[in-house]
């Protein structure tokens, strides 16, 4: 009989994969999920410590989110969102308006993270076009940044792994050296520096602010770059510089939003408000594809005019404002209101930091342990003293990933950075299991 795995590989081209790898490691066909656990069709269970590409916020098959979607399903599955609306979207916007950073008041819906970034870029460009500064049409971004895979989003990203090949297709953006706290060029440490590395941004603004519409950042956490954490002070300085130089600030909170960093949004650590914030992933608890580009009244007003002036934002996605996604997002908000999710996640985060140090700090290949909220990462290096990487051909992270899978842990590394980014309601017992399986998998590849 043809196996499910063979049937999969006959037709399916999986995302972000070298499909030849599947010859050795066929796809794991998941049958069901509950909490942080996934169960495959052969009955094996896996602990989802990366919350399925960082989106599953409150566990798989969460009873409350399921109920919210089911109730909506019998009323309305979808409706065109131009000229039409529905209660779940209206209610969701009202709820989110209470929790987003101050000044963000307008909600433009799309259906995935990259789309919300595209939307933000187009809004910024058009804002300056319509306010008498058409020369401001470029974008600034940080090295090692990641904002999605569509051409616009990719070109404000700086990760060669995903972007380099497509360079001929990209916009001509200004890439600024990002904070790199593990290998700080100033020899400082993230907990007590003055963000000396902000000088790179100052130089770029001095040269290019006059032609720049917006600067886009992943606030405090460059996720795809290997969970690189940088200080809130950097963000504060950036907000001030953007204000001073009339450059809009876009904060991509797609990965960091909804409690991942220990506060509702990463911006909250710095006490700043961006001009635009992109949210997705945890928005629906990771259930349904939905994103929102949230912006200010000032930006919105620049598009508000008689139709004949041609100032409208004529950007749409078929599934904008999908009612099922809104119902899921409303259920997530209700859970935040009625359960101490963030408080518990913060307590567990401090406990987890201690446990990470106990379990991993002594290993000679652990270069750095870094963390923010429940997100904890280990950067593995060949030579700890000199912070020298393993050569990429060794695929150390991938080898550990395979060992972890054998043991029942979904630990999908970013190169040689292993990380936990679990559902916020994971228990300490489950975290302990993940620690034990991670340690055993590392030791299998890198015995100490
Ligand atoms: N921005 C950030 C910070 C992300 O982490 C991601 C996805 N990992 C995206 C944008 C793109 O989102 P999507 O995959 O939904 O297009």
């Amino acid at each position: 009989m043809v196996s499910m795995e063979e049937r999969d590989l006959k037709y399916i081209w999986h995302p972000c994969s070298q499909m030849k790898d599947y010859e050795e490691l066929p796809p794991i066909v998941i049958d069901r999920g509950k909490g942080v656990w996934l169960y495959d069709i052969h009955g094996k269970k896996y602990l989802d410590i990366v919350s399925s590409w960082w989106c599953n916020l409150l566990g798989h098959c969460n009873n409350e989110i399921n109920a919210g979607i089911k109730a909506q399903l019998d009323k309305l599955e979808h409706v065109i969102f131009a000229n039409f609306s529905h209660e779940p979207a209206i209610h969701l916007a009202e709820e989110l308006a209470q929790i987003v950073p101050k000044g963000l008041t307008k909600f433009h819906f799309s259906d995935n993270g990259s789309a919300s970034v595209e939307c933000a870029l187009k809004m910024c460009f058009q804002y300056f076009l319509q306010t008498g500064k058409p020369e401001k049409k470029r974008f600034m971004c940080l090295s090692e940044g990641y904002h999605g895979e569509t051409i616009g989003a990719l070109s404000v990203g700086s990760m060669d792994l995903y972007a380099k090949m497509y360079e001929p297709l990209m916009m001509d953006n200004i890439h600024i050296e990002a904070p790199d706290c593990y290998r700080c060029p100033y020899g400082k440490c993230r907990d007590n520096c003055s963000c000396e590395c902000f000088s790179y941004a100052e130089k770029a603004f001095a040269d290019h602010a006059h032609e720049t519409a917006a600067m886009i950042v992943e606030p405090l956490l460059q996720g795809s770059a290997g969970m690189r954490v940088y200080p809130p002070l950097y963000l504060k300085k950036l907000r001030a510089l953007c204000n001073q130089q009339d450059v809009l600030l876009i904060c991509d909170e797609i990965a960091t939003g909804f409690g991942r960093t220990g506060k509702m949004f990463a911006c909250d650590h710095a006490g700043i408000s961006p001009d635009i914030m992109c949210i997705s992933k945890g928005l629906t608890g990771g259930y349904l594809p939905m994103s929102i580009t949230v912006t200010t009244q000032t930006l919105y007003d620049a598009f508000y005019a008689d139709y004949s002036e041609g100032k409208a934002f004529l950007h749409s996605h078929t599934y904008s404002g999908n009612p099922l996604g809104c119902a899921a997002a409303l259920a997530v908000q209700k859970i935040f209101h009625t359960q101490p999710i963030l408080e518990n996640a913060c307590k567990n985060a401090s406990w987890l930091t201690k446990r990470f140090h106990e379990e991993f700090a002594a290993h000679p290949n652990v270069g750095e342990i870094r963390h923010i909220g429940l997100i904890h990462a280990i950067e593995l290096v060949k030579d700890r003293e000199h912070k020298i990487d393993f050569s990429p051909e060794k695929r150390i992270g991938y080898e550990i990933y395979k060992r972890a899978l054998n043991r029942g842990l979904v630990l999908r590394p970013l190169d040689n950075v292993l990380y936990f980014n679990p559902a916020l309601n994971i228990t300490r017992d489950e975290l302990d299991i993940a620690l034990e399986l991670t340690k055993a998998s590392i030791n299998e590849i890198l015995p100490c």
Side-chain angles (χ1 to χ4, degrees):
M1 207 176 72
V2 184
S3 71
M4 192 82 92
E5 291 81 355
E6 286 167 316
R7 284 168 56 201
D8 173 288
L9 290 173
K10 185 161 182 207
Y11 290 111
I12 296 176
W13 189 347
H14 286 273
C16 205
S17 297
Q18 171 47 265
M19 289 307 297
K20 195 163 190 294
D21 284 347
Y22 287 69
E23 285 178 12
E24 183 204 5
L25 182 65
I28 295 158
V29 185
I30 296 298
D31 178 47
R32 66 198 165 87
K34 189 70 196 165
V36 294
W37 297 97
L38 295 168
Y39 299 83
D40 76 10
I41 50 169
H42 308 293
K44 182 169 175 178
K45 67 174 188 171
Y46 297 86
L47 202 168
D48 184 5
I49 202 66
V50 297
S51 54
S52 290
W53 262 338
W54 322 344
C55 67
N56 184 275
L57 193 73
L58 299 163
H60 295 281
C61 266
N62 179 292
N63 291 343
E64 285 119 313
I65 305 176
N66 285 11
I69 296 171
K70 283 178 190 165
Q72 182 57 39
L73 191 57
D74 282 332
K75 284 178 83 178
L76 177 68
E77 80 303 332
H78 188 61
V79 63
I80 178 172
F81 206 49
N83 296 114
F84 288 78
S85 194
H86 47 82
E87 202 272 341
I90 298 165
H91 187 184
L92 178 61
E94 287 168 348
E95 287 280 329
L96 294 175
Q98 306 305 311
I99 60 166
V100 293
K102 213 164 139 253
L104 295 171
T105 53
K106 294 289 177 187
F107 296 79
H108 193 282
F109 288 75
S110 309
D111 48 18
N112 65 72
S114 309
S116 75
V117 169
E118 297 286 341
C119 192
L121 300 176
K122 285 173 69 180
M123 277 178 181
C124 293
F125 166 81
Q126 193 172 339
Y127 169 79
F128 281 114
L129 196 64
Q130 293 176 178
T131 53
K133 292 180 182 158
E135 70 283 5
K136 286 172 89 68
K137 58 186 177 194
R138 295 185 72 188
F139 295 95
M140 292 187 193
C141 53
L142 290 179
S143 65
E144 303 302 314
Y146 179 86
H147 300 285
E149 300 290 355
T150 49
I151 297 298
L154 202 59
S155 59
V156 285
S158 308
M159 293 198 60
D160 281 355
L161 177 64
Y162 308 115
K164 185 86 186 143
M165 183 181 303
Y166 304 102
E167 224 164 9
L169 308 181
M170 303 235 184
M171 303 185 296
D172 178 22
N173 297 320
I174 300 139
H175 296 250
I176 299 171
E177 198 62 33
D180 181 357
C181 302
Y182 176 44
R183 295 182 174 84
C184 176
Y186 293 88
K188 301 274 176 172
C189 139
R190 78 165 66 72
D191 298 328
N192 58 13
C193 74
S194 311
C195 291
E196 284 76 1
C197 61
F198 193 70
S199 59
Y200 299 122
E202 284 167 338
K203 166 87 174 66
F205 271 70
D207 293 344
H208 298 290
H210 65 282
E211 52 174 350
T212 299
M215 164 95 197
I216 182 166
V217 289
E218 293 160 90
L220 303 198
L221 177 79
Q222 290 194 294
S224 300
M227 299 296 167
R228 279 167 50 157
V229 181
Y230 63 88
L233 179 62
Y234 191 94
L235 211 53
K236 274 191 194 159
K237 289 189 173 199
L238 190 59
R239 176 68 277 184
L241 189 58
C242 284
N243 284 351
Q244 193 193 331
Q245 300 276 1
D246 197 17
V247 169
L248 296 168
L249 177 62
I250 305 169
C251 282
D252 173 351
E253 292 253 12
I254 291 162
T256 49
F258 302 98
R260 291 290 188 190
T261 67
K263 292 197 184 274
M264 192 53 84
F265 298 102
C267 287
D268 299 338
H269 290 275
I272 63 122
S273 290
D275 299 288
I276 296 189
M277 186 166 90
C278 299
I279 51 178
S280 186
K281 293 192 189 271
L283 171 65
T284 64
Y287 264 62
L288 287 159
M290 168 169 278
S291 62
I292 310 182
T293 309
V294 195
T295 185
T296 60
Q297 188 71 38
T298 310
L299 224 121
Y300 176 85
D301 285 346
F303 295 72
Y304 199 88
D306 286 334
Y307 187 81
S308 56
E309 289 187 44
K311 288 188 171 176
F313 189 53
L314 296 181
H315 176 113
S316 62
H317 292 284
T318 306
Y319 293 105
S320 296
N322 174 263
L324 296 173
C326 292
L330 279 168
V332 169
Q333 287 310 307
K334 192 165 169 205
I335 294 171
F336 274 119
H337 288 316
T338 53
Q339 298 171 31
I341 296 289
L342 259 182
E343 293 85 327
N344 288 346
C346 286
K347 283 185 205 152
N348 286 343
S350 310
W351 173 85
L352 186 59
T353 305
K354 198 165 101 320
R355 295 286 292 114
F356 254 69
H357 282 274
E358 282 166 9
E359 296 294 341
F360 304 119
H363 193 291
N365 297 112
V366 170
E368 188 185 42
I369 294 172
R370 47 186 179 251
H371 58 93
I372 185 165
L374 266 180
I375 299 170
H376 282 65
I378 302 170
E379 179 155 347
L380 295 171
V381 288
K382 189 168 90 180
D383 176 342
R384 173 154 142 160
E385 194 189 336
H386 302 99
K387 303 183 179 177
I388 297 172
D389 281 330
F390 285 104
S391 65
E393 310 85 67
K394 281 197 167 326
R395 300 184 80 187
I396 291 288
Y398 183 64
E399 291 303 321
I400 294 171
Y401 166 61
K402 287 191 289 185
R403 300 312 184 281
L405 278 180
N406 283 340
R407 293 184 148 84
L409 178 72
V410 184
L411 176 77
R412 200 170 184 277
L414 297 151
D415 277 339
N416 296 331
V417 176
L418 311 178
Y419 66 91
F420 288 11
N421 187 1
L424 298 183
N425 54 1
I426 190 170
T427 65
R428 287 189 188 184
D429 285 348
E430 289 163 338
L431 286 168
D432 258 333
I433 295 171
L435 285 163
E436 187 194 314
L437 299 179
T438 302
K439 192 171 178 182
S441 308
I442 297 176
N443 288 342
E444 208 177 326
I445 299 298
L446 300 170
C448 49

